[in-house]
Amino acid sequence: GQNIDQPTEMTATEGAIVQINCTYQTSGFNGLFWYQQHAGEAPTFLSYNVLDGLEEKGRFSSFLSRSKGYSYLLLKELQMKDSASYLCAANTGFQKLVFGTGTRLLVSP
Amino acid sequence: GAVVSQHPSWVICKSGTSVKIECRSLDFQATTMFWYRQFPKQSLMLMATSNEGSKATYEQGVEKDKFLINHASLTLSTLTVTSAHPEDSSFYICSARDPSGNYNEQFFGPGTRLTVL
């Protein structure tokens, strides 16, 4: 079966750092995506990890450990506009994505 | 990045009617598009993979006779919800992969909110 777990909700303050964890168990695995989704809108691409390690892209970084079935998204210098849902999705092969339920992040002043 | 559009952005229909949703890749050709459904406060669930020039591949539990998919050209896929019922009310999102770009990135359309009365 396919199982992707993320925390349901997180809160943080403006300027802080937050780490959103994702664990996965899938029948196939070619890499892990992170997407940002504002309410009522389509997801937008943040990162894609294929190999183990940390990938940094501006204020956002993503980490993958294939042996542990674990990834995290790190958001630095949080801004109010970062309040959104963050979706972790496993690429299970042939570009088929299995999404987690998403983590709703609320950034407060 | 590549742009994917959907039409309409929202639709309200009566129970028993059919609704067609269009997904277009605007600046690239997509041999493969994907259709997802998202219920409130839930994540995206893949419904089917739409292949240009051939039949769509449906995920387990998705009725292919109810959700008709046609990928008639390299820039257009359509999803028709036939005989819609209130339980079909959801947010329908399509995505497409740009074969000339990063192999792994899917570009999502803005979504279509369907409400069946």
Side-chain angles (χ1 to χ4, degrees), chain B residues 73-89:
Chain B
S73 77
L74 286 171
T75 59
L76 173 64
S77 174
T78 60
L79 169 68
T80 302
V81 183
T82 61
S83 187
H85 290 284
E87 57 266 28
D88 298 323
S89 297

Side-chain angles (χ1 to χ4, degrees), chain A residues 36-39 79-86 105-108:
Chain A
Q36 180 191 61
Q37 186 180 29
H38 286 99
Q79 301 174 9
M80 298 295 288
K81 67 178 183 180
D82 296 330
S83 292
S85 286
Y86 291 86
L105 174 65
L106 178 62
V107 180
S108 55

Side-chain angles (χ1 to χ4, degrees), chain B residues 57-78:
Chain B
T57 306
Y58 290 81
E59 295 301 298
Q60 196 171 10
V62 177
E63 299 175 56
K64 61 182 180 182
D65 294 330
K66 180 169 180 65
F67 298 99
L68 302 179
I69 291 172
N70 187 326
H71 196 146
S73 77
L74 286 171
T75 59
L76 173 64
S77 174
T78 60

Side-chain angles (χ1 to χ4, degrees), chain A residues 6 8 23-24 33 46 54 63-64 68 100 109:
Chain A
Q6 305 176 235
T8 306
T23 57
Y24 63 89
F33 286 89
L46 291 178
L54 185 69
F63 172 84
L64 177 67
K68 295 181 180 177

